[in-house]
Amino acid sequence: MSNSQPAATASERIGLKARKVSFDWEETPLHWVPDDPFTAHTINVLHLLLPAGERWFVHVYRQVLPYIRDDRLREDVIGFIGQEAVHSQAHDDVLPHLKRLGLDPTPYTAQVDWLFEKLLGDRTLPPGRARAWWLKERVALIAAIEHYTAFLGDWVLGAEELDRRGADPVMLDLLRWHGAEEVEHRSVAFDLFMHVDGGYRRRVRTWATAFSALVFLWQRGTRFFMENDPTLPAGRATVRDFVARGREGVLPSTPDLLRSVPRYLSRAYHPSQEGSTAQAVAYLASSPAANGGH
Ligand SMILES: [Fe+2]
Ligand SMILES: [Fe+2]
């Protein structure tokens, strides 16, 4: 464990705490973006990936805690663990509602659970170099994924087109509360990666793995929802749909997504340069879910 790097600038550093939230899904329709199942289902993929994914973050980070030799960073990682545990649960709670509306996510979530628990879980490695390698590799993967959770969080906080189209307010609040906490803790995973390893080749390699896996899982998840939606007899999902919704502002734009790639791969990258803590904190102060619940 080497290469301790400077963390976020002092002005960006705030104590991280998990907020208690509550959501009432009773009134949320299946197509929670009116007349646009493709957009609703593309965003619904979050509920498939995040419960297992964020549980896995927590699992990995608990193993790293004993190796952190910087008190402030350890505090941040503990705050991060608390927030991700709540996120994971909040997205998991949407799944029974989707099932009630006729869309059973279990065939897909079973595969995602296998991916995170088995493929990316603890392998039976002897203590020593192999085990340390696998831990560092997973810490680097999480840093790459957190580049995208922060990107998406920043996007959804400003995605006013969703409000204009009459998107369900409870779902929007879930996305924006979560997105705001992603922006709030966006530096933690990268700082931890720099603390335990920080190798540039590992950053590039794990970015490539994380990015390909996210694209693969996301398009598969969207197709799964579109094909199994009981109200869409011939539901399809194409790249063209995605690019078009990005232009309309109801999904992230493809050029913005592509531009985020060289930023993460730049040697000068630090997550504090992305997104706005002030915007995130302002949303959290007004979020219905984080202030007493729906
Ligand atoms: Fe999260
Ligand atoms: Fe996160």
Side-chain angles (χ1 to χ4, degrees):
M1 308 275 165
S2 60
N3 285 357
S4 185
Q5 292 284 320
T9 53
S11 61
E12 287 280 326
R13 186 167 276 283
I14 41 173
L16 298 171
K17 61 171 196 299
R19 293 170 182 82
K20 235 179 102 142
V21 285
S22 86
F23 300 94
D24 180 358
W25 295 113
E26 210 50 50
E27 305 288 318
T28 301
L30 186 57
H31 301 161
W32 58 266
V33 183
D35 306 318
D36 189 355
F38 178 81
T39 295
H41 287 328
T42 302
I43 298 178
N44 279 339
V45 174
L46 289 167
H47 315 312
L48 300 175
L49 299 181
L50 293 177
E54 295 184 311
R55 259 199 317 271
W56 174 73
F57 290 3
V58 169
H59 176 80
V60 172
Y61 274 15
R62 283 206 178 116
Q63 295 182 51
V64 185
L65 277 177
Y67 301 104
I68 302 176
R69 290 163 298 121
D70 176 315
D71 291 341
R72 239 171 32 172
L73 180 59
R74 186 181 308 105
E75 234 172 78
D76 282 348
V77 171
I78 291 169
F80 178 102
I81 288 175
Q83 292 191 337
E84 297 295 17
V86 179
H87 300 167
S88 158
Q89 191 57 49
H91 285 275
D92 217 4
D93 289 345
V94 182
L95 296 176
H97 181 62
L98 294 182
K99 198 170 174 179
R100 273 196 298 278
L101 295 171
L103 195 41
D104 180 6
T106 326
Y108 194 92
T109 51
Q111 293 177 23
V112 176
D113 290 349
W114 176 85
L115 174 78
F116 284 105
E117 284 164 22
K118 296 288 183 305
L119 190 67
L120 293 171
D122 302 330
R123 299 177 183 168
T124 45
L125 296 168
R129 285 186 63 166
R131 195 182 282 182
W133 183 90
W134 181 225
L135 198 54
K136 286 179 191 170
E137 200 73 0
R138 291 183 292 176
V139 165
L141 276 170
I142 295 173
I145 298 170
E146 283 285 297
H147 176 60
Y148 292 99
T149 58
F151 172 89
L152 293 174
D154 182 50
W155 172 78
V156 80
L157 285 171
E160 287 165 11
E161 188 58 23
L162 287 170
D163 303 85
R164 279 194 283 275
R165 304 254 176 128
D168 179 67
V170 182
M171 189 63 85
L172 273 183
D173 189 30
L174 168 75
L175 298 171
R176 287 183 176 148
W177 151 74
H178 186 175
E181 289 199 343
E182 290 303 321
V183 171
E184 189 184 38
H185 74 216
R186 66 193 182 283
S187 295
V188 177
F190 189 77
D191 287 343
L192 181 63
F193 165 61
M194 295 309 279
H195 185 70
V196 301
D197 181 72
Y200 186 70
R201 278 199 303 199
R202 171 168 275 137
R203 192 198 318 180
V204 175
R205 180 176 68 239
T206 50
W207 167 81
T209 309
F211 188 77
S212 330
L214 282 174
V215 170
F216 174 75
L217 290 168
W218 219 296
Q219 55 85 23
R220 225 162 148 253
T222 308
R223 281 211 327 257
F224 170 82
F225 274 140
M226 291 298 285
E227 286 165 11
N228 291 285
D229 183 323
T231 67
L232 306 172
R236 287 179 66 238
T238 65
V239 174
R240 195 187 297 180
D241 294 324
F242 181 80
V243 174
R245 297 309 193 283
R247 273 199 206 107
E248 293 167 28
V250 289
L251 288 177
S253 92
T254 304
D256 281 351
L257 264 170
L258 294 176
R259 273 194 289 269
S260 78
V261 173
R263 289 207 303 279
Y264 187 70
L265 297 179
S266 153
R267 286 184 189 266
Y269 170 81
H270 190 271
S272 55
Q273 303 150 353
E274 313 247 321
S276 151
T277 301
Q279 186 187 23
V281 170
Y283 185 78
L284 290 165
S286 68
S287 155
N291 293 278
H294 285 271

